[in-house]
Amino acid sequence: MALGFPGGTALAQQLLTASGFTHGVASGEPASDSMLLWTRYVPQGQGSEVTLDVEVSADRDFNRILHRETVRTGGYRDWTVKVTVDGLTAGSTYWFRFVAPDGTRSMAGRIFTLPEGKAEHFRMGVFSCSNLPMGWFNAYAHAARREDVDLWLHVGDYIYEYGIASYAEADRIAERVVLPAHDHEMVALADYRLRYACYRADPDLQALHASAPMICLWDDHESANDSWEGGAQNHQANEGDWATRRAAAAQAYLEWMPISEEPWKAYHIGELATLYRTESRLIGRTRQADIGAAYRAGTSVALSNFRDGEWMDPTASMLGSTQEAWIEREFRRNARTSAWQLVGMACIMGRTVMPQDAVNWLRSDISEGARNSYSNAARAGAVGLPMWMDRWDGYPQARSRFLKAAQEADADLVVLSGDSHNAWAYSLAEDRRPAGVEFAGQAVTSNGMERQMGIDHANVARGFVEANPELVWAQTHGRGYMMLDVKPQRVECEWIFLNTTKQRDQTVANRHRAHVSKGHRRIET
């Protein structure tokens, strides 16, 4: 029984009693000659394991089956299935499906292998921050209908850990229920598994996964808000041991997502580009710098001392030393053989300070806590400190090391990120020299800063651009996704904003395009 998304108690009953192919199919880890394929199959009865066949065909009707393989799964991995098939042809389209012991078949999925040698064109959709209770996945639905795509990239916050009671009534849709319900956020392995089951029951997300392969990486909400190697802002002592929770979150992610167990990886798109999947949350990230004491002191001297001290700590790292060394080596090697170095990153790298007059932009009825947060961030910005310590400009020495590695490799760097819920384009610089560009995408559904603003959105975006030299363009409202068009001499990004998330509606509200030319390493609009 394939699950739809009825919502409420009906969803709970379906998730707990469903059998057969329950959550569609997915694919990932693309190469020129192989692909990882995913499904979930729950047998009727109490069997501990089940064996499935997978078929790969050259045509959508499966008249020319080219590859068959057998794979086994069981309740020990939540009945999810992952199998890598090889012997495929570069730059080709295939269809795949799974077959159960009783002969029933899964839905079919479509895959595209990566090209080899010279490639003139590659198109990729980029998503982030899909909070299911906050809205319909219209961005996924719109993207799934495309025929001009080779790959999806999800840069994190594919799910959220919060219990439903943590959402304000105005922020959520009654039909979009998640489990575990009420005030129970995800803590144990069973919680994380059930949350993925809720999200993957969404038909638009199922359609997206079936339409093309996805490379995915986690951010913080796949575990807990503002997570790092040793803890998280949203992990308290009464929620048990952090290491146990972190392991449960990682296990469920690896079970439910079409991803290998390699923590980071490079994908070669012929001579056109190398795409990097990074990990910046649970393995090597050090704790975020704590600016709280400087805020409480209430003086610019305290903020300046923090800026010159803890904020500049060279031991602070987003990626950890092992991954930093790996990506430096990969840049040196791949910048000689591929035109573009595309880096999937969970958090924004571009330097962003809060504009000094941002407090005046806020709605009159905004909470005192939110107003204080903007006021503090503006005070920090006055001495050159970033808005948020949880992203790359909260780790300035690590950011410098990363960008210097790209410069020393003579790499044409394009960073693809999410996390902020709004849309941004940056010309990244290091030592006052161009280091690459960043296209940062808006959320699929999660609220952006526009809900707190009392002035015209265009004025907010203009204020951020004027206050931040690296920031070339911003749109601080609207949900959707990015489409990247990679060519040998140019990479273009298109931000696509959907009309709403509050009803199922694939109408496009507006679009924006920006690009970078080979060798320029600056945003061009």
Side-chain angles (χ1 to χ4, degrees), residues 296-309:
R296 290 189 293 273
T299 67
S300 60
V301 171
L303 287 167
S304 297
N305 289 339
F306 172 83
R307 178 198 62 201
D308 299 335

Side-chain angles (χ1 to χ4, degrees), residues 128-150:
S128 68
C129 304
S130 46
N131 195 326
L132 188 148
M134 284 189 170
W136 297 98
F137 290 161
N138 293 326
Y140 291 157
H142 185 273
R145 295 168 52 196
R146 304 185 74 110
E147 293 295 330
D148 61 342
V149 66
D150 300 291

Side-chain angles (χ1 to χ4, degrees), residues 22-45:
T22 61
H23 286 82
V25 296
S27 60
E29 300 296 352
S32 62
D33 61 354
S34 66
M35 190 74 63
L36 183 150
L37 309 178
W38 180 99
T39 194
R40 183 172 186 262
Y41 181 84
V42 182
Q44 291 184 340

Side-chain angles (χ1 to χ4, degrees), residues 324-497:
E324 282 191 20
W326 168 79
I327 206 161
E328 183 178 356
R329 291 193 303 270
E330 290 292 310
F331 280 166
R332 289 199 304 267
R333 178 187 303 120
N334 297 322
R336 297 194 297 266
T337 59
S338 59
W340 300 95
Q341 308 306 301
L342 313 175
V343 182
M345 199 70 76
C347 293
I348 288 175
M349 184 165 285
R351 288 200 173 101
T352 319
V353 302
M354 185 69 73
Q356 290 302 288
D357 55 348
V359 176
N360 299 326
W361 306 344
L362 301 176
R363 287 176 17 217
S364 60
D365 61 346
I366 198 170
S367 71
E368 182 180 357
R371 186 173 296 276
N372 288 339
S373 177
Y374 275 86
S375 176
N376 284 334
R379 291 194 297 115
V383 299
L385 286 166
M387 290 164 46
W388 299 301
M389 292 296 154
D390 186 56
R391 61 193 218 179
W392 273 93
D393 56 0
Y395 295 72
Q397 299 278 43
R399 188 193 117 113
S400 292
R401 292 193 296 269
F402 181 93
L403 294 178
K404 285 178 181 177
Q407 289 174 327
E408 291 169 2
D410 196 25
D412 280 277
L413 173 69
V414 178
V415 177
L416 305 169
S417 62
D419 184 60
S420 77
H421 306 174
N422 293 117
W424 320 81
Y426 297 87
S427 291
L428 303 171
E430 178 60 29
D431 289 337
R432 299 184 179 180
R433 295 186 294 122
V437 304
E438 179 172 25
F439 300 125
Q442 70 274 41
V444 171
T445 60
S446 300
N447 288 331
M449 68 173 64
E450 65 270 19
R451 293 183 68 259
Q452 298 170 319
M453 296 297 155
I455 66 170
D456 183 78
H457 302 312
N459 291 335
V460 175
R462 187 179 306 111
F464 271 96
V465 171
E466 290 172 353
N468 291 282
E470 288 189 346
L471 184 61
V472 177
W473 170 85
Q475 181 171 316
T476 56
H477 69 284
R479 312 280 79 82
Y481 67 106
M482 298 190 298
M483 278 298 298
L484 206 70
D485 190 357
V486 186
K487 297 178 180 177
Q489 295 300 317
R490 173 181 168 124
V491 175
E492 181 178 82
C493 182
E494 180 181 42
W495 289 262
I496 300 165
F497 298 88

